[in-house]
Amino acid sequence: MTATIPVIDLAPALEGDREARLRVAREIDAACTKVGFFTIRGHGVPLAVIDRLREQASAFFNLPLDEKLRAQPDDASVPRGYRAIGFEALSYGNTIETPPDLKEYYHFGRPDWPDEPYYTSDQGQRFFVPNRWPERPEAFAEAAADYYRRVETLAEQLMALTALALGLDEDFFADKIDRHITAMRINFYPEQKEAPEPGQLRAGEHTDYGLLTILNGENKPGGLQVQIRDGEWIPVETAPDTFVVNIGDLLMRWTNDRWVSNVHRVVNPPASTASMSQRISIGFFHHPNYDALIESVAPPGEARYPPVLSGEYRDEKYRVTRN
């Protein structure tokens, strides 16, 4: 039987007592052990917040290219602002060489942060970078900031459930994510008016780098697929009011491979619809504090990975995937 992505209702955990949270945590553990992906509903993020950002993003990405390019960062190494097709090949992060991904994207981070050395020091400024916004549409920045804050709260709630699922204190991750370096990205997959090069996808095979990715997508041709443990590729479907959650590399290392950071990709639409198929996905890539030490929770002597600092791991992954 073909595997499917589990659907988990968070409402009982967010609205109920500890026993309700434990029940949902067990569902999360089962999903992350078997698949590494799950869909959530009852998450508390208003549909209007999601729709507003989608509308603003669609308006931006359908502007003329020369106007979009004005929202690029002045320094190509700065992970903020607009990126055109050809900038990134995600498969390089998993040592697979392919042509550049067939996507554009807009990259941004936290809307604001305290005036404290952790954020403003030379090291802090590598991770806490002012966002860059386009002149049009005017409400883009406000919609993005609202969405970010709502999903940031959701991420905190999910990490508390993650701790319970792993048999840890509910607040185990709290002091490791309270100054997180999470980035968001709005991916735009434009119509394909020319045939892709051999091996070229909308997004090549890759794993995500951090703790959890919280994704809002669209059920349109040329969508997300995940490779499960037996090697089978299965489609990932989402409704407009749900999120797909997947495990990142750092959480897999933390769990000592109890949970899997699965390879996934975004495939091209069928040739018959490629010239008409736009698609937008919005990803919140939850990443721990840059100085958080990621150490396996396995018993002494059983760790499969050496300890690694959160910020250093992210920097290396960025380095190898950018053209």
Side-chain angles (χ1 to χ4, degrees):
M1 184 174 70
T2 300
T4 58
I5 305 299
V7 179
I8 298 174
D9 185 359
L10 290 189
L14 302 185
E15 300 168 3
D17 58 13
R18 179 178 172 81
E19 183 54 39
R21 294 197 296 277
L22 285 168
R23 286 196 300 271
V24 173
R26 286 191 286 270
E27 292 184 60
I28 291 173
D29 182 40
C32 294
T33 301
K34 295 175 182 177
V35 183
F37 273 67
F38 57 97
T39 297
I40 56 173
R41 61 173 185 253
H43 47 71
V45 179
L47 181 58
V49 171
I50 300 170
D51 287 346
R52 185 183 182 209
L53 182 54
R54 284 191 161 276
E55 290 166 1
Q56 294 296 306
S58 180
F60 171 79
F61 284 114
N62 282 286
L63 292 171
L65 178 60
D66 60 348
E67 183 172 353
K68 290 187 287 188
L69 289 172
R70 294 202 294 271
Q72 289 186 134
D74 297 327
D75 180 347
S77 68
V78 174
R80 294 293 182 268
Y82 172 72
R83 300 295 190 181
I85 288 177
F87 182 75
E88 182 177 69
L90 282 173
S91 61
Y92 275 59
N94 289 68
T95 64
I96 303 171
E97 294 191 13
T98 65
D101 296 340
L102 292 171
K103 68 173 183 294
E104 306 170 30
Y105 66 87
Y106 211 99
H107 198 131
F108 56 98
R110 294 174 62 150
D112 50 52
W113 49 84
D115 183 14
E116 298 173 359
Y118 184 87
Y119 305 92
T120 60
S121 64
D122 288 345
Q123 184 179 22
Q125 289 181 61
R126 291 171 42 218
F127 302 100
F128 296 95
V129 182
N131 289 320
R132 184 183 183 101
W133 299 109
E135 295 178 6
R136 296 194 299 160
E138 293 181 0
F140 193 176
E142 183 181 350
D146 189 15
Y147 185 105
Y148 189 104
R149 292 187 180 100
R150 303 273 191 163
V151 182
E152 180 181 42
T153 298
L154 173 61
E156 293 171 357
Q157 294 164 332
L158 282 169
M159 290 309 300
L161 292 171
T162 291
L164 290 176
L166 296 171
L168 304 169
D169 290 338
E170 193 165 356
D171 61 353
F172 174 82
F173 293 103
D175 64 352
K176 303 166 184 67
I177 62 172
D178 57 346
R179 299 183 289 185
H180 63 87
I181 57 171
T182 299
M184 273 191 62
R185 180 185 289 193
I186 306 174
N187 290 311
F188 175 67
Y189 306 101
E191 305 94 331
Q192 295 181 355
K193 301 186 183 300
E194 298 178 2
E197 297 178 34
Q200 190 174 35
L201 297 175
R202 282 179 152 178
E205 298 177 19
H206 65 284
T207 57
D208 292 341
Y209 315 146
L211 296 177
L212 300 172
T213 297
I214 304 173
L215 183 80
N216 182 259
E218 293 181 292
N219 286 331
K220 291 185 175 182
L224 181 64
Q225 294 182 342
V226 57
Q227 187 177 41
I228 57 177
R229 287 183 184 263
D230 66 3
E232 180 186 5
W233 287 97
I234 61 174
V236 181
E237 297 187 358
T238 62
D241 61 346
T242 66
F243 293 103
V244 172
V245 179
N246 68 271
I247 303 310
D249 296 347
L250 292 184
L251 189 51
M252 182 175 72
R253 294 169 74 113
W254 235 327
T255 70
N256 207 40
D257 287 356
R258 171 174 169 173
W259 290 1
V260 60
S261 175
N262 269 353
V263 174
H264 48 286
R265 65 189 181 187
V266 181
V267 297
N268 299 314
S272 60
T273 65
S275 64
M276 302 176 287
S277 297
Q278 288 188 2
R279 185 172 179 273
I280 287 175
S281 67
I282 305 172
F284 183 94
F285 299 92
H286 194 39
H287 208 98
N289 305 352
Y290 64 75
D291 60 352
L293 186 66
I294 313 304
E295 292 185 284
S296 170
V297 295
E302 297 182 18
R304 298 185 179 186
Y305 303 96
V308 64
L309 287 173
S310 163
E312 292 180 359
Y313 189 86
R314 191 214 70 171
D315 283 353
E316 176 60 16
K317 288 293 188 177
Y318 277 7
R319 185 188 67 78
V320 299
T321 57
R322 269 58 169 172
N323 289 322

